Amino acid sequence: MLKPTKMTKVVIAGTKDQIEPTISILHKLNVLHITDFSKETEDFKIGRPLKTASKFSEHLLSLRAISNQLGLKESEPGKLTKVELSSDIDEKITNLQKEVSSRFDELRNIESRLKEKEDLLSSVKPFFGLPLSLESYTGYETLKVYTGYIDIDLESRVKKITSNFELFSGEYEKRKIFVLFIPKAFETEVQKLLQEERTYVEIKVPQLKGNPPVIVDELTKEITGLKEKYSLIKTELDKLKEEYSEFIIATDEHLSIETQKSEAPLKFATSPNAFIIDGWVPSNKFDEIEAELHKNTGGKVYLTKIVEDVNEKEVPIELENPTVAKPFELLINTFSTPRYGEIDPSLFLFVTYPLFYALMLGDVGYGIIVTALGLGLMRKFKSGGLNAIALILLIAGVLSTIFGVIYGEFFGFPIFDIESNGQFEPGILGAGPSIAGIHLPVHRLGEVKPLLILCFAIGIFHVLLGYAIGFRNQVIEHGLKHAIYAKGSWMMILIGGVTIIAKVMPAMMSKSPIQTGDTILVTGTVVAIIGLILLIKGEGFISILELPTLLSNILSYSRILAIGLSSAGIALAVNKIAMNLFIEPGGILMGKGILVALAGVVVLFIGHVINLLLGILGPGLHSLRLQYVEFFTKFYEGGGVKYLPFGHKRKFTEE
């Protein structure tokens, strides 16, 4: 807790004939973080994959291609249990690939033919409106044929050019369609006439023979037959998916493990007769690995601790936190994995992140929805990043509900009676109770000043905590003197500055004289000046330029109140607008009619949905900003390497 798991650097060495059993043991134990060997020497080269690597990789690729074609997802068969794989995996994969590929080829062929037939059908249908067979439109040496849609009296226009023509017209889908036969001698003039007519749309004559109704009937039958065949093949593929889903998922896991094991020597140093593995293991696992290697290799493989000074950036990091704080490791790793000697801030985020979130959202209605959202996501995602986000949402939602009770807000409606600016507003539950001397509700819109002071107090404590952790890190890395210059000076400036402001500000606001002899004021001033001197001595005179940053860091915490007020204000505005539509000024329910009342329901629903979305995103992002920018910058460097043990946690197969 607060520090990553203690790690021990190890070297494993053995003869070449023991490399495969060693890989199997290490993979099964799943605790060794292997350091890749990269600097080849005359004696040691980077190892080569085992002979089985190529075969396993090919099968894995084939299997994943089949899985993609069948649209199989790992989470789909939730009933999957551990599966024992038979020895004929190779044959099964080959046969399954043939079956799936042949059907998919047939599907693609049908899709292509379907498109071709449907295009033909679309091109023939317009000629329903004309009394000619399709071969009548082509094959003339002296005649030019025009076909298309047009909305004018074409016959009268053509007669002005020539009386030697033949025109057929009809209608298709409520549009006028025509075919015009004219001697080629008049082609240019007729072409110009049609081009100048904006309602003219040319129709291409399909290269078919026969009457359009007969052709359409034949095409329709062909399309129906192709669709039935398509549907039949899809059904066959669905059956294959259902029949082989367990086999595919289990085999995928098995082949992934075998491929990982076969390619492991690429990380080792090898000579013609021996191999060496560099890596890290959790210190409390060293004895277990040593015992297993000795037991399974007959003492032919040796495990040794390396006791030497190491660069902390090279040590893999395994975060160690209580279960409730585990989800917040996601926020740490998203920023940067801590280095080996650093404090892991996951536990602090477990407290402050949902607290800031709840202080901003603080509404019973919204809090319950966020809690339900977290629970829903937890049920859907049992592990991984989305499960961590769900747990964070759940904790933030519960706290938001509690702060909703303190603020006395339920979707912006008052839970308890409130009086603001001389106006009384009844609450849903009447008068609020008093808890620990605090009378509920703490009305956000009416108690801005004390809540703002609370936000600054939280900010001062949060930033001081960051400096305190930074002080500890500096003592360990560079000694006490450096820590006093680098972090202690800032702590003294902050404490002294806050003391001065706390004493001077009230006097300035009340326009009363400042008590310069006040002991607390004098002490605060001395502390701030000593801190400033230490800062200049340690960091140089230019470090004074960073003083405004400290002030901006503290002021930044006012966003907790600002975001909360904006959310409460939007909810209040939505409620007021909706209520005005429900109830007219005279106080008559639905006095403006049912339609206006329904409009009020729509406004209420949409308004709160939008406010809820803003309420989920805004507090989440701003709380994260306060952690990353205001808190982490006081102590956190990160840049560590994540601990990735060589192994695999089996979900669908057994050893």
Side-chain angles (χ1 to χ4, degrees), residues 57-334:
S57 296
E58 285 175 15
H59 284 327
L60 190 59
L61 285 174
S62 300
L63 198 70
R64 288 183 176 169
I66 294 169
S67 182
N68 282 335
Q69 285 176 320
L70 293 178
L72 199 63
K73 296 176 183 174
E74 185 179 294
S75 59
E76 197 163 316
K79 60 184 180 184
L80 258 185
T81 53
K82 289 187 176 180
V83 177
E84 287 188 22
L85 296 169
S86 57
S87 57
D88 59 345
I89 288 178
D90 300 0
E91 187 181 345
K92 254 186 165 179
I93 292 175
T94 305
N95 292 337
L96 184 58
Q97 188 177 24
K98 283 179 184 174
E99 283 196 56
V100 174
S101 296
S102 64
R103 283 171 174 78
F104 258 86
D105 289 344
E106 203 167 347
L107 277 184
R108 299 288 87 82
N109 182 33
I110 292 174
E111 284 173 352
S112 172
R113 289 168 61 196
L114 263 176
K115 187 175 185 316
E116 181 187 339
K117 299 295 179 188
E118 285 171 346
D119 288 346
L120 274 176
L121 187 64
S122 299
S123 65
V124 172
K125 277 184 175 177
F127 292 91
F128 259 48
L130 297 170
L132 299 174
S133 58
L134 290 180
E135 62 267 27
S136 304
Y137 296 88
T138 56
Y140 303 105
E141 293 184 0
T142 59
L143 291 178
K144 176 68 179 175
V145 182
Y146 293 96
T147 54
Y149 297 108
I150 201 161
D151 283 342
I152 60 169
D153 180 7
L154 185 60
E155 186 174 3
S156 61
R157 300 282 186 91
V158 177
K159 277 182 178 176
K160 292 178 182 177
I161 299 171
T162 177
S163 59
N164 186 16
F165 67 92
E166 191 156 4
L167 178 68
F168 298 90
S169 60
E171 190 175 288
Y172 176 71
E173 291 185 343
K174 298 181 181 179
R175 297 177 71 184
K176 289 181 182 176
I177 185 170
F178 75 94
V179 54
L180 176 65
F181 298 87
I182 62 163
K184 285 194 173 179
F186 303 103
E187 178 181 354
T188 306
E189 292 155 275
V190 173
Q191 182 73 32
K192 185 180 177 185
L193 166 68
L194 293 174
Q195 284 178 345
E196 291 176 351
E197 175 49 47
R198 64 179 178 80
T199 63
Y200 170 67
V201 178
E202 184 182 4
I203 301 174
K204 295 287 184 186
V205 180
Q207 299 298 313
L208 296 171
K209 292 181 179 179
N211 291 322
V214 176
I215 296 173
V216 166
D217 187 52
E218 289 174 354
L219 285 172
T220 305
K221 285 179 181 174
E222 286 183 52
I223 289 171
T224 304
L226 287 171
K227 284 183 176 176
E228 285 174 356
K229 198 171 181 182
Y230 187 88
S231 177
L232 185 66
I233 296 172
K234 287 287 282 181
T235 304
E236 289 175 357
L237 284 170
D238 287 341
K239 284 181 180 174
L240 283 175
K241 178 180 174 181
E242 187 178 346
E243 183 180 351
Y244 287 96
S245 60
E246 285 192 3
F247 167 77
I248 292 171
I249 291 173
T251 308
D252 187 300
E253 181 177 78
H254 170 74
L255 290 174
S256 298
I257 290 170
E258 294 305 321
T259 303
Q260 188 185 16
K261 287 158 72 174
S262 301
E263 293 177 349
L266 289 168
K267 297 170 180 282
F268 304 166
T270 59
S271 70
N273 301 309
F275 70 91
I276 296 175
I277 307 171
D278 274 334
W280 296 84
V281 297
S283 299
N284 58 359
K285 298 285 184 183
F286 180 85
D287 291 341
E288 181 188 355
I289 301 172
E290 188 177 41
E292 286 292 325
L293 282 174
H294 184 80
K295 175 183 166 188
N296 291 283
T297 64
K300 295 178 182 176
V301 174
Y302 300 93
L303 173 71
T304 307
K305 286 183 184 177
I306 303 297
V307 183
E308 61 181 26
D309 291 336
V310 295
N311 184 348
E312 287 189 347
K313 290 183 178 177
E314 295 176 1
V315 184
I317 303 299
E318 166 78 340
L319 300 181
E320 195 173 280
N321 288 292
T323 306
V324 289
K326 277 281 177 189
F328 294 87
E329 291 178 2
L330 174 72
L331 303 181
I332 301 297
N333 287 322
T334 301

Side-chain angles (χ1 to χ4, degrees), residues 589-624:
L589 187 63
M590 292 197 292
K592 295 177 182 176
I594 185 75
L595 289 178
V596 177
L598 285 173
V601 173
V602 173
V603 168
L604 195 68
F605 178 75
I606 294 177
H608 281 295
V609 167
I610 293 172
N611 199 26
L612 176 64
L613 292 175
L614 293 173
I616 292 173
L617 290 175
L621 293 176
H622 285 282
S623 180
L624 202 58

Side-chain angles (χ1 to χ4, degrees), residues 618-631:
L621 293 176
H622 285 282
S623 180
L624 202 58
R625 183 229 145 85
L626 291 175
Q627 310 296 337
Y628 285 170
V629 179
E630 274 71 26
F631 184 52

Side-chain angles (χ1 to χ4, degrees), residues 500-515:
I500 294 169
I501 291 171
K503 282 291 176 184
V504 172
M505 190 63 75
M508 291 177 67
M509 292 180 72
S510 62
K511 297 182 180 177
S512 57
I514 298 171
Q515 301 296 321

Side-chain angles (χ1 to χ4, degrees), residues 544-563:
I544 293 178
L545 297 176
E546 294 183 26
L547 286 175
T549 308
L550 183 59
L551 181 62
S552 71
N553 285 158
I554 302 300
L555 292 177
S556 181
Y557 286 81
S558 62
R559 73 184 63 234
I560 294 175
L561 179 62
I563 300 296

